[in-house]
Amino acid sequence: MNILLKSAVVIDPKSVFHQKTNDILITNGVITRIAPNLSTEKVDTVIENVYVSSGWADSSVCFGEPGYEERETLTNGMQTAAKSGFTHVLINPATNPITDTKSAVLYLKNETKNELTTAHPIGALTQGSKGEVLAELFDMKNGGAVAFGDYKKAISNNNLLKIALQYTQVFDGIVISFPNDSKIMGKGVVNEHISATKLGLKGIPALAEELCVARDLAVLEYAGGKLHIPTISSKKSVVMIREAKSKGLDVTCSVAIHNIHFDDSVLTSFDTNFKVLPPLRDMETVVALREALNDGTIDFITSDHFPLDIECKFKEFDHASYGTIGLETIFGILNQYVPLEKAVELLTAARQRFGIETQPIAENQQADITIFRTDETYLFENKHILSSSHNSAFLGETLQGKVIGCIANGIAVINEVN
């Protein structure tokens, strides 16, 4: 199949075509020509006036399968990722059974091997994600796991974190440590703020996150190794991570797209789609997180995509499950807060951190690209949801920019053709 991208602007600092406008011909998944004014003869699909970047990677997604197929199957989840512009996704061990063995990692790899989007399993750090005994980390690494962490569960045992950081150095592994002290969190369900008091909801103080971040960085400084702190939501977390980087510690962090878009004022509706972990913080914190995105302290953005069936959300706020989907909306939201090149950087930076091979956009290279436009705005509605579950916090929000499609692994998914 021949696809011609006419008047395409390349956004790829590693490419000689960066910020230049050219036509790009892709034949059977390979970039065969990049030049001005290529002929449209013998071309199956022509797409005009687009931007092209290296394929995006999301560092934190959940799909239900295995165990929770009613929420999202791997097939539908991977197709949703592809239509949302992601050629690579890191899949959390939020499954049943937990992804804590090499065979579980291989299951995810094998079930998705024919998809456009490549799955990169995150292995559980501890057996059953119970926080007691390290899982089979080296075996999972050999099976294709790119990092190790217990999804939405903090490492409560300080020594276990130390041993994990020391052990993973042997095979260049990455430890993921979710920062949330469950004892400090208690029965909290939203940000500890005046809005929580007005709503009569128990609050989660930022301290629950900050204590874990401080501990994690102290252990990292002692033990060495590679640490990733996912979905931070606190100003003090930003400051501590910035200082740790200035010391040369090997640490990265991410923020969830909903935590830079919403503040806790939206909770007045008691809409359980806004119940997320970490919780939505106050506007002052949201502004600080946006600044940290732009100054490079926060390394990449994530959808923290977590499909949930209606039974998990259609109940009292206190009892509803945490989580929102976000793959479909991440670009249209991020595009409103950072310049285009920064948006692409935040959407692709996880590739380098987690060892995903990346080649510059060039002739005779296998295509691994995302195609998008930036100028169109539209209201996000139920009809735009691609996931099996509809628990989106972004319903009714205005998005700016659209993913036109992506091409990878010799497969093309095009959402819109001129």
Side-chain angles (χ1 to χ4, degrees):
M1 182 178 182
N2 293 332
I3 299 173
L4 181 61
L5 308 179
K6 295 284 290 182
S7 300
V9 180
V10 172
I11 305 296
D12 180 4
K14 295 181 179 179
S15 171
V16 296
F17 298 102
H18 178 49
Q19 291 187 329
K20 296 178 181 178
T21 302
N22 281 289
D23 293 354
I24 303 174
L25 180 63
I26 300 156
T27 304
N28 298 325
V30 177
I31 300 172
T32 52
R33 288 288 310 280
I34 301 178
N37 302 317
L38 294 178
S39 172
T40 59
E41 291 184 17
K42 298 181 181 180
V43 172
D44 301 296
T45 302
V46 178
I47 305 172
E48 298 183 19
N49 302 316
V50 292
Y51 289 92
V52 179
S53 74
S54 291
W56 302 342
D58 193 327
S59 62
S60 178
V61 303
C62 296
F63 301 135
E65 187 179 353
Y68 303 107
E69 288 82 358
E70 73 279 5
R71 299 177 182 177
E72 187 88 272
T73 62
L74 282 168
T75 296
N76 193 76
M78 297 298 279
Q79 290 174 354
T80 296
K83 292 177 181 178
S84 302
F86 291 91
T87 62
H88 299 270
V89 291
L90 276 65
I91 301 180
N92 290 303
T95 52
N96 187 18
I98 296 288
T99 309
D100 61 358
T101 63
K102 181 178 180 180
S103 61
V105 170
L106 290 173
Y107 172 82
L108 293 174
K109 298 289 288 184
N110 290 333
E111 288 296 305
T112 58
K113 63 183 179 182
N114 296 320
E115 301 289 347
L116 180 153
T117 302
T118 300
H120 302 276
I122 297 172
L125 184 72
T126 62
Q127 293 177 13
S129 287
K130 295 178 180 179
E132 298 170 355
V133 180
L134 287 182
E136 301 169 0
L137 307 186
F138 184 63
D139 278 354
M140 286 193 287
K141 172 78 171 183
N142 289 335
V146 294
F148 310 96
D150 297 333
Y151 184 64
K152 299 297 182 186
K153 295 180 179 179
I155 305 168
S156 59
N157 185 327
N158 299 334
N159 193 53
L160 191 68
L161 173 61
K162 183 198 74 174
I163 292 170
L165 285 167
Q166 291 173 328
Y167 176 55
T168 50
Q169 292 177 52
V170 177
F171 51 89
D172 201 30
I174 299 174
V175 173
I176 297 177
S177 180
F178 177 67
N180 183 52
D181 187 310
S182 60
K183 300 294 185 183
I184 297 290
M185 174 184 175
K187 295 182 179 180
V189 292
V190 296
N191 181 41
E192 185 182 76
H193 188 236
I194 190 171
S195 60
T197 304
K198 290 178 178 178
L199 297 171
L201 296 171
K202 291 185 174 73
I204 305 172
L207 180 66
E209 175 180 312
E210 292 157 4
L211 284 175
C212 288
V213 171
R215 185 278 313 262
D216 290 355
L217 295 174
V219 176
L220 177 66
E221 187 169 11
Y222 173 83
K226 293 183 176 182
L227 178 68
H228 175 63
I229 304 176
T231 58
I232 63 170
S233 68
S234 157
K235 289 189 294 182
K236 285 188 179 179
S237 295
V238 169
V239 171
M240 288 187 286
I241 292 169
R242 185 180 291 129
E243 290 176 352
K245 288 183 173 184
S246 71
K247 293 179 181 178
L249 299 186
D250 195 344
V251 58
T252 52
C253 66
S254 66
V255 67
I257 188 67
H258 42 267
N259 284 104
I260 66 148
H261 183 62
F262 297 110
D263 68 276
D264 56 6
S265 66
V266 299
L267 297 172
T268 54
S269 64
F270 289 94
D271 184 345
T272 57
N273 285 328
F274 293 123
K275 186 178 180 181
V276 291
L277 191 67
L280 303 177
R281 303 291 186 187
D282 58 86
M283 181 50 73
E284 183 181 351
T285 301
V286 172
V287 171
L289 292 172
R290 292 173 186 169
E291 291 173 352
L293 273 180
N294 278 289
D295 71 23
T297 302
I298 296 177
D299 298 275
F300 29 89
I301 194 85
T302 175
S303 66
D304 205 20
H305 182 82
F306 192 22
L308 291 166
D309 53 65
I310 192 170
E311 287 81 6
C312 295
K313 284 291 190 180
F314 193 62
K315 56 180 65 175
E316 296 92 342
F317 200 96
D318 280 343
H319 301 295
S321 299
Y322 294 99
T324 176
I325 58 174
L327 280 169
E328 302 97 319
T329 48
I330 186 169
F331 176 64
I333 297 295
L334 179 64
N335 196 32
Q336 301 175 37
Y337 296 112
V338 298
L340 177 57
E341 279 195 53
K342 189 64 180 181
V344 170
E345 177 187 332
L346 290 165
L347 289 165
T348 57
R351 296 180 64 135
Q352 180 176 353
R353 179 56 168 171
F354 295 101
I356 300 169
E357 184 179 359
T358 304
Q359 298 295 334
I361 294 175
E363 291 183 349
N364 302 316
Q365 289 284 2
Q366 188 79 20
D368 185 340
I369 59 173
T370 301
I371 307 160
F372 55 96
R373 296 194 181 103
T374 61
D375 51 355
E376 184 177 351
T377 61
Y378 66 101
L379 198 68
F380 186 72
E381 301 176 298
N382 260 304
K383 65 182 180 180
H384 298 119
I385 291 178
L386 304 171
S387 306
S388 301
S389 295
H390 282 218
N391 57 306
S392 174
F394 298 96
L395 287 168
E397 295 298 301
T398 298
L399 306 189
Q400 181 180 335
K402 266 191 174 181
V403 173
I404 305 304
C406 52
I407 304 171
N409 292 329
I411 303 170
V413 169
I414 306 298
N415 300 324
E416 177 187 330
V417 179
N418 297 102

